[in-house]
Amino acid sequence: MTAKQKPQFDNKQNYAEAGFNIAFYRKQVGLTQEELADLVGISRQHMGAIEAPNVHRPFSLDLLFNIAAVLKIPAAKLLAPRE
């Protein structure tokens, strides 16, 4: 890569994994999408798009930290691949 070339990034899989993890941990604590969305200050539609496996919905670290706080888990668990 030369100094003039910019790297190309594709984070779709990373967002999909985070959304999958959010849905997993949300269900573990017994919250609906609507309840979690309300607690973190976003719409249910936005939460649904974040959790949808085929939708690439970027979201902020602030939102990630807020979701983790509501779910009472470390934010890193929302980013780590699950098996």
Side-chain angles (χ1 to χ4, degrees):
M1 180 180 333
T2 66
K4 292 182 182 182
Q5 290 177 319
K6 292 185 180 180
Q8 299 295 314
F9 300 105
D10 182 6
N11 289 306
K12 290 178 185 175
Q13 185 59 40
N14 294 329
Y15 281 108
E17 188 71 41
F20 176 75
N21 289 339
I22 290 167
F24 175 82
Y25 290 110
R26 172 183 60 74
K27 291 172 186 174
Q28 274 199 327
V29 299
L31 292 174
T32 65
Q33 282 184 345
E34 187 170 8
E35 290 167 332
L36 180 56
D38 186 52
L39 290 168
V40 298
I42 62 173
S43 70
R44 201 246 3 117
Q45 291 82 2
H46 189 160
M47 182 61 68
I50 289 170
E51 290 185 2
N54 297 323
V55 176
H56 176 225
R57 177 62 62 97
F59 54 95
S60 71
L61 282 175
D62 281 339
L63 181 54
L64 180 89
F65 294 142
N66 294 346
I67 291 169
V70 168
L71 299 176
K72 297 183 173 130
I73 60 171
K77 280 191 161 190
L78 299 177
L79 297 173
R82 293 185 51 255
E83 293 183 20

